[in-house]
Amino acid sequence: MQKSEVVVVGAGPAGLTAAHELLKAGAEVTLIDRNASLGGQLIKQTHKFFGSEKQYAAHRGIDILERLTENLIPYERFHLLSETTVVGFYHDKVLTCLKDDRYFKLQADSVIFATGASEHSIPFENNDLPGVYAAGAVQTLMNEYGIKPGQRVLMVGSGNIGLIVSYQLMQAGVDVAAVLEASERIGGYLVHASKLRRLGVEIRTNMSIKSAIGEAHVEAAEAWRLDEDWQGIEGSEERYDVDTICIAVGLSPLTELLEQAGAEVEYISELGGNVPVLKDYETTIEGVYACGDLANIEEASSAMVEGRIAGIRAAQALDYTVENAEMRLKALDDELVDLRSGPPGDNVRRGLKKMEGLT
């Protein structure tokens, strides 16, 4: 049995900032991630961030990642386990890990989960044809490996991910035939939608994909209009000659490890689905915390702030002194309020109200 004072699971934006706060307070931290490279979604994000200077506004995700990782290097009590998958978690804060085909156990005094989320899919005819991708896979191909997924793409979903990936596709020289949105309004920030419209990309609301067409791979796609009950309207079909279909219809928090240990989870649709019940970022298991997309689906800017709060809370619970802790926590809470203001934050605000009623 190996031991570490604190284990942070997930090295995305939330996990990196949580680890940094704990290290600054003096804690020993082991950061675990299943990938070879740190950063989670940041490694794919070539667009510039919004928000304020505190959330690295006007900097690209890949550049923010470099800053966040550099913050961890000076600390002697920092340990990194990359290419390591946590496959089990138990109520006595024991994690079963897999690395290089070898299982080992790791026990901690405190654990912060920042495992993020998985991408949704939707059922439609021939959705298993080669050429049907999730948006995250397209980002990985283009931004990590420099590979175009195809020459002409139909994007399904107009949230921020769908809009940003559409723009990145066009930057890479890939034609975007259209963006389909099942609801009556665009889901992402209008600034992203406006960039696409200026490039001539049509965003079609109240529409979704009906089928992928092709034998060995995608050769076309058929879309149709949706009625008030989100059902396809026969006779409204339209054909798009594309070789790629990209699905960007939302994310689901990865709660499986927390559930395995018995942490309470509730379905709150506004936060992304099943999410852990939290009070001050602590789950119903004492000393176990959650932040980032695991806690609620938001932008990376919010995940970084949540990671800092969770790190400070965990450090305090371990009796470490955090300089100006209450002042910093108040300032971080205010940052989240700003990030969640306006229409784009409506869902999150409603979801957090529901969470308050559970704790």
Side-chain angles (χ1 to χ4, degrees):
M1 178 81 74
Q2 299 181 33
K3 294 191 176 181
S4 179
E5 188 172 26
V6 183
V7 172
V8 177
V9 184
L16 291 171
T17 54
H20 186 215
E21 292 297 336
L22 282 153
L23 290 165
K24 286 195 298 182
E28 178 197 21
V29 177
T30 298
L31 178 62
I32 301 177
D33 197 274
R34 66 184 180 182
N35 297 308
S37 302
L38 304 185
Q41 299 305 308
L42 288 175
I43 201 169
K44 309 173 186 179
Q45 294 177 342
T46 58
H47 61 282
K48 292 182 179 180
F49 276 37
F50 297 120
S52 69
E53 185 178 351
K54 295 175 183 177
Q55 292 103 40
Y56 304 100
H59 293 277
R60 303 183 189 279
I62 51 177
D63 298 325
I64 295 169
L65 167 60
E66 185 176 351
R67 294 190 183 194
L68 295 182
T69 52
E70 285 177 350
N71 288 340
L72 308 179
I73 295 171
Y75 293 95
E76 293 182 359
R77 304 196 77 194
F78 172 61
H79 314 291
L80 174 63
L81 291 174
S82 59
E83 296 182 280
T84 302
T85 303
V86 177
V87 296
F89 179 56
Y90 310 96
H91 61 85
D92 51 358
K93 303 185 188 72
V94 171
L95 303 101
T96 299
C97 305
L98 175 63
K99 182 178 176 65
D100 298 329
D101 296 323
R102 183 177 70 88
Y103 291 96
F104 65 94
K105 290 185 177 180
L106 180 61
Q107 187 169 42
D109 296 326
S110 183
V111 182
I112 295 180
F113 281 94
T115 47
S118 61
E119 291 187 273
H120 286 165
S121 185
I122 52 175
F124 58 90
E125 186 179 352
N126 292 331
N127 68 352
D128 59 347
L129 271 179
V132 178
Y133 292 91
V138 168
Q139 275 193 312
T140 299
L141 280 173
M142 291 195 303
N143 297 348
E144 288 192 60
Y145 299 107
I147 298 171
K148 293 181 182 180
Q151 297 302 317
R152 183 170 167 83
V153 175
L154 177 65
M155 178 65 65
V156 182
S158 74
N160 283 327
I161 293 175
L163 298 176
I164 289 169
V165 174
S166 294
Y167 188 72
Q168 290 174 348
L169 282 162
M170 298 196 73
Q171 287 180 307
V174 178
D175 184 27
V176 176
V179 177
L180 306 183
E181 172 54 52
S183 70
E184 62 184 7
R185 66 177 185 178
I186 294 169
Y189 294 144
L190 293 182
V191 65
H192 295 314
S194 297
K195 288 195 296 186
L196 289 178
R197 283 172 167 159
R198 285 197 297 270
L199 293 172
V201 177
E202 190 175 12
I203 303 174
R204 307 285 304 278
T205 56
N206 296 117
M207 288 197 72
S208 189
I209 186 167
K210 180 181 181 182
S211 64
I213 300 169
E215 294 296 329
H217 56 82
V218 172
E219 298 172 15
E222 191 174 51
W224 58 358
R225 297 197 64 77
L226 302 182
D227 63 21
E228 294 178 353
D229 297 320
W230 301 72
Q231 300 301 307
I233 301 172
E234 295 289 346
S236 68
E237 291 86 356
E238 297 181 27
R239 179 186 171 106
Y240 289 92
D241 292 320
V242 296
D243 58 11
T244 306
I245 299 168
C246 186
I247 309 298
V249 292
L251 304 170
S252 295
L254 290 168
T255 61
E256 291 85 351
L257 289 168
L258 286 172
E259 291 184 69
Q260 185 181 39
E264 187 177 343
V265 169
E266 288 285 342
Y267 184 83
I268 302 178
S269 61
E270 294 90 345
L271 300 183
N274 285 326
V275 291
V277 175
L278 301 178
K279 184 175 183 180
D280 294 331
Y281 294 87
E282 189 174 29
T283 70
T284 52
I285 302 175
E286 184 179 358
V288 178
Y289 302 81
C291 54
D293 278 352
L294 171 59
N296 59 81
I297 305 299
E298 292 188 84
E299 298 300 302
S301 300
S302 299
M304 288 186 284
V305 179
E306 287 192 353
R308 295 194 186 284
I309 296 173
I312 292 171
R313 293 291 188 191
Q316 289 178 315
L318 292 169
D319 293 327
Y320 283 100
T321 300
V322 178
E323 189 175 351
N324 299 319
E326 297 311 312
M327 185 184 302
R328 288 202 59 215
L329 287 170
K330 174 64 167 59
L332 291 167
D333 282 336
D334 289 343
E335 286 183 44
L336 286 176
V337 170
D338 288 341
L339 288 168
R340 293 164 178 164
S341 62
D346 285 348
N347 264 352
V348 174
R349 295 196 300 271
R350 284 195 297 268
L352 292 174
K353 282 287 185 184
K354 292 183 180 180
M355 179 65 73
E356 289 174 9
L358 298 172
T359 58

